[in-house]
Amino acid sequence: MNSAPKKRAPRLAAGRARALGMPTRGTTNPNRLRRIDRWIAGTPWVARALRNAAEPVVIDLGYGATPVTTVELAARLRPLRPDARVVGLEIDPDRVLAGKLVADPPVLEFRRGGFELAGLAAGVRDFPGPALVRALNVLRQYTEPEAWKAWEELCSRLAPDGLLVEGTCDEIGRRCCWVTLDRGGPLTLTLACLPADIERPSDLAERLPKTLIHRNVPDEKVYSMLAELDACWAKAAPMAPFGPRARWAHAAQLFGELGWPVLDRRRRWRLGELTVAWSAVAP
């Protein structure tokens, strides 16, 4: 009996479009993006975008001077979707060359590209678009209007149920903030940290995404949110003897009890995370 024909894998071509965007600073460190990767794989509604994707293509946009964080992303997503195809994109040809030295096609590839997604955007050669785009520390050098435009462009190139995770973190990944978006726009804001590394939650303000960082002023929602979270952190001080993680979790609980749209629970709070609906901070 003849076996069924194998489904053709999507062609991961760089395409003819000019690479759009500016090179990043290139700073990379092993495990710098571990908190983001852990959240992607461990948050059911986010993981579902990759698990249910017809074409499980994940793009790591602007991975930097070395490909280490792209290699780590591929490894962390493999248990979730063994056939996931992770593609690292960079504008700098030397960075692409460094990536190709550790590539493992078809599960891990490196291409030259930017916001145009190097031929992997929705509708290019009938490709449905990527299931997930991770863009960390890419938009810091852009203006706020440029960052909003980049969001719009990237979201338009996602698969119908695809997601964009965009944000910033410090050099060793102890302080992170990111926004998750779908084709319709931003959905959530996540704060993540090593609780022992902060004096108060508002220390994370310096890592807010470009669309929010200049909005951290009185009369803006994100300012009010951080101020309220600081107050909850202060009220959670009696939990300090049980460790910073316990204090963060209690502060997050108090914060949610005040009516803020908190979308995660204690299991993630214990990891130093807090996710709120975008409506809580939208300018």
Side-chain angles (χ1 to χ4, degrees):
M1 183 175 66
N2 293 331
S3 60
K6 293 183 178 180
K7 185 177 181 180
R8 180 177 295 179
R11 183 182 178 187
L12 301 181
R16 296 181 180 179
R18 178 174 60 88
L20 301 177
M22 295 182 289
T24 62
R25 288 175 54 201
T27 306
T28 51
N29 283 301
N31 282 323
R32 185 185 187 188
L33 304 184
R34 179 174 64 89
R35 294 180 187 279
I36 295 94
D37 295 348
R38 180 181 63 190
W39 182 84
I40 290 171
T43 302
W45 65 272
V46 179
R48 192 179 305 121
L50 179 59
R51 186 181 289 115
N52 295 343
E55 299 286 4
V57 172
V58 176
I59 293 177
D60 188 20
L61 180 62
Y63 55 83
T66 72
V68 60
T69 53
T70 308
V71 174
E72 292 171 345
L73 176 64
R76 289 166 183 154
L77 293 182
R78 196 162 294 127
L80 182 67
R81 185 74 190 253
D83 61 338
R85 302 166 67 86
V86 177
V87 184
L89 295 186
E90 259 293 347
I91 289 179
D92 187 325
D94 290 337
R95 296 177 185 178
V96 177
L97 180 60
K100 288 186 175 182
L101 294 176
V102 297
D104 183 22
V107 297
L108 177 62
E109 297 194 21
F110 295 87
R111 303 279 177 176
R112 186 170 185 267
F115 297 147
E116 84 298 335
L117 301 186
L120 294 173
V124 176
R125 299 190 185 94
D126 298 322
F127 182 61
L132 179 72
V133 175
R134 186 186 72 175
L136 265 291
N137 306 303
V138 171
L139 298 182
R140 292 286 284 182
Q141 61 192 323
Y142 291 82
T143 65
E144 182 181 334
E146 288 171 338
W148 282 101
K149 182 179 179 182
W151 273 8
E152 183 179 353
E153 292 175 350
L154 289 169
C155 288
S156 71
R157 292 165 180 146
L158 294 170
D161 296 320
L163 295 174
L164 165 65
V165 178
E166 189 278 317
T168 67
C169 67
D170 64 6
E171 286 72 12
I172 54 177
R174 289 187 173 185
R175 301 182 182 191
C176 319
C177 297
W178 62 87
V179 175
T180 303
L181 308 92
D182 64 9
R183 279 191 172 186
L187 302 171
T188 63
L189 170 70
T190 300
L191 310 179
C193 65
L194 180 66
D197 190 55
I198 63 169
E199 292 187 11
R200 59 185 64 84
S202 61
D203 290 348
L204 292 171
E206 65 183 17
R207 297 297 163 181
L208 285 169
K210 194 67 176 188
T211 52
L212 291 176
I213 194 167
H214 300 302
R215 301 284 182 164
N216 187 31
V217 293
D219 297 326
E220 289 280 357
K221 289 182 180 180
V222 68
Y223 180 91
S224 299
M225 184 201 75
L226 290 173
E228 195 102 63
L229 191 53
D230 278 353
C232 291
W233 176 258
K235 290 179 181 178
M239 298 298 294
F242 300 99
R245 292 182 184 274
R247 184 178 179 181
W248 177 274
H250 191 58
Q253 179 182 334
L254 294 174
F255 184 70
E257 289 172 354
L258 291 173
W260 289 89
V262 176
L263 301 180
D264 45 13
R265 294 294 179 265
R266 182 168 294 274
R267 179 173 175 270
R268 305 234 56 99
W269 300 339
R270 290 281 303 179
L271 296 173
E273 299 171 5
L274 178 68
T275 297
V276 297
W278 176 254
S279 59
V281 297

